[in-house]
């Protein structure tokens, strides 16, 4: 039996939900509100000492980290593998997942807090917000996430590293644009875990009203790829429907307010 600890707004959890749906795997969910601090519950920290989601429990085996979870699932259920068997195609898929884990994911956390989550968690009130920020473990999303999260929450785009995170995110869209020239999918003309892994990150920008990063002819292959992704039957249930309405509205509205700043940093004329 598979049990997934997850949350609607977590890009990493969305990656695992999407992969499990594409593989046809059934799972039970434990929903943690990571904007209220559920991930810092001592019982959960025993499963995932970084205090992050997702965590998969397979029978009695505990597996944190979304990329590792997806690779594990493909070994346990090889008949529906989302990883290519060809060694070079497999290596290319790994380059995408490695880049996401090392670069894009921290940039996404930064941008999401700068643009929207800082406003959502402000509703916790002063005391609970202070407790939420202090509860982040020293080793969390990254080894400096605790301090960075606080800065992004307190200073928004003025925080050191905020515009760099946005530029890094934009570079990954440009890498996608290059990889998609003449191809429907990121690796080997087949829908793979590379497409699944990138989906939550592109969707995050779309949900934060930042589609202008690829529309209006800026990155047309990314635009067409995202249209193909959105047509997949598991996209809406796994990527959109788990997000609470209020949070969806927060991301949409706060994102729209941030668009002029984003366009300015990226020098996008609209
Ligand atoms: N390397 C981990 C990263 C997980 C992660 O960063 N999760 C975020 C949501 S996408 C989280 O739980 N953040 C909690 C926090 O910032 O306190 C993975 O791929 O699963």
């Amino acid at each position: 039996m598979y049990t997934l600890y997850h949350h609607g707004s977590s890009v990493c959890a969305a990656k695992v939900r999407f992969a499990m749906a594409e593989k046809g795997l059934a799972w039970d969910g434990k929903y943690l509100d990571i904007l209220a601090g559920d991930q810092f519950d001592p019982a959960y920290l025993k499963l995932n000492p970084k205090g992050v989601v997702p965590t998969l429990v397979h029978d009695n085996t505990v597996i944190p980290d979304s990329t590792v979870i997806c690779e594990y699932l493909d070994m346990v259920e090889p008949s529906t593998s989302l990883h290519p068997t060809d060694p070079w195609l497999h290596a290319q898929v790994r380059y995408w997942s490695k880049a996401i884990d090392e670069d894009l994911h921290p940039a996404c956390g930064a941008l999401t807090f700068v643009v929207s989550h800082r406003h959502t968690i402000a509703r916790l009130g002063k005391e609970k917000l202070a407790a939420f920020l202090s509860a982040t473990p020293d080793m969390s999303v990254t080894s400096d996430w605790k301090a960075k999260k606080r800065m992004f929450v307190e200073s928004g785009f003025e925080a050191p590293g905020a515009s760099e995170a946005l530029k890094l995110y934009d570079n990954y869209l440009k890498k996608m644009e290059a990889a998609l020239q003449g191809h429907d999918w990121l690796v080997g003309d087949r829908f793979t875990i590379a497409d699944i892994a990138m989906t939550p990150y592109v969707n995050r920008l779309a949900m934060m009203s930042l589609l202008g990063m690829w529309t209006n002819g800026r990155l047309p292959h990314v635009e067409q790829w995202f249209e193909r992704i959105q047509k997949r039957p598991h996209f809406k249930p796994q990527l959109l429907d788990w997000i609470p309405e209020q949070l969806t509205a927060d991301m949409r509205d706060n994102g729209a307010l941030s668009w002029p700043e984003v366009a300015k940093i990226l020098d996008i004329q609209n």
Side-chain angles (χ1 to χ4, degrees):
M1 180 172 121
Y2 294 111
T3 304
L4 184 68
Y5 291 76
H6 69 126
H7 179 242
S9 99
S10 159
V11 278
C12 297
K15 182 201 301 181
V16 174
R17 285 195 306 263
F18 197 14
M20 290 184 97
E22 290 284 344
K23 288 174 72 63
L25 296 177
W27 50 277
D28 276 343
K30 301 245 192 248
Y31 196 82
L32 303 186
D33 184 348
I34 61 168
L35 294 178
D38 292 355
Q39 71 274 34
F40 307 132
D41 182 88
Y44 182 66
L45 288 173
K46 283 195 184 136
L47 299 179
N48 190 318
K50 291 183 177 178
V52 294
V53 291
T55 303
L56 182 73
V57 179
H58 179 209
D59 300 331
N60 292 320
T61 307
V62 180
I63 311 133
D65 279 296
S66 56
T67 299
V68 179
I69 294 171
C70 291
E71 290 174 358
Y72 174 88
L73 288 171
D74 268 1
M75 294 195 82
V76 175
E77 313 275 353
S79 63
T80 51
S81 180
L82 298 161
H83 287 79
T85 46
D86 174 86
W88 174 230
L89 294 179
H90 189 274
Q92 289 177 62
V93 161
R94 291 286 296 119
Y95 283 127
W96 282 104
S97 50
K98 194 165 157 23
I100 291 168
D101 289 344
E102 289 173 1
D103 281 341
L104 182 60
H105 180 63
C108 176
L111 190 65
T112 306
F113 269 93
V114 162
V115 166
S116 187
H117 283 359
R118 62 197 291 256
H119 303 296
T120 301
I121 60 174
R123 284 197 214 108
L124 290 172
K126 235 178 171 180
E127 258 174 49
K128 281 192 179 156
L129 177 58
F132 173 85
L133 291 174
S134 316
T136 303
D138 289 332
M139 292 288 285
S140 178
V141 175
T142 54
S143 54
D144 55 2
W145 182 236
K146 183 174 186 166
K148 283 200 163 162
K149 182 158 79 171
R150 182 182 292 281
M151 278 188 318
F152 295 137
V153 168
E154 286 171 359
S155 311
F157 272 113
E158 302 302 315
S163 11
E164 286 76 9
L166 173 63
K167 287 179 190 163
L168 188 146
Y169 215 135
D170 191 46
N171 271 333
Y172 274 100
L173 294 181
K174 289 178 183 158
K175 276 184 205 281
M176 289 181 74
E177 181 71 10
L180 291 165
Q181 299 279 336
H183 304 281
D184 279 358
W185 305 113
L186 288 170
V187 176
D189 285 322
R190 186 198 137 192
F191 176 79
T192 67
I193 195 74
D195 301 287
I196 290 176
M198 281 306 298
T199 294
Y201 295 93
V202 176
N203 184 51
R204 168 57 46 88
L205 297 174
M207 291 197 73
M208 295 198 304
S209 310
L210 304 179
L211 277 91
M213 286 171 71
W214 62 85
T215 53
N216 297 321
R218 190 167 185 261
L219 301 171
H221 293 90
V222 172
E223 183 168 8
Q224 288 154 21
W225 173 88
F226 192 48
E227 279 166 11
R228 277 191 288 280
I229 288 283
Q230 286 171 299
K231 284 190 190 129
R232 294 188 82 86
H234 297 305
F235 173 81
K236 185 177 171 295
Q238 305 307 332
L239 273 293
L240 303 181
D241 292 351
W242 281 103
I243 309 180
E245 255 174 54
Q246 178 65 61
L247 193 50
T248 300
D250 280 357
M251 287 200 272
R252 183 194 59 226
D253 299 344
N254 293 322
L257 291 173
S258 293
W259 172 248
E261 182 72 23
V262 168
K264 191 169 129 211
I265 293 168
L266 298 178
D267 200 19
I268 298 173
Q269 323 287 333
N270 41 5

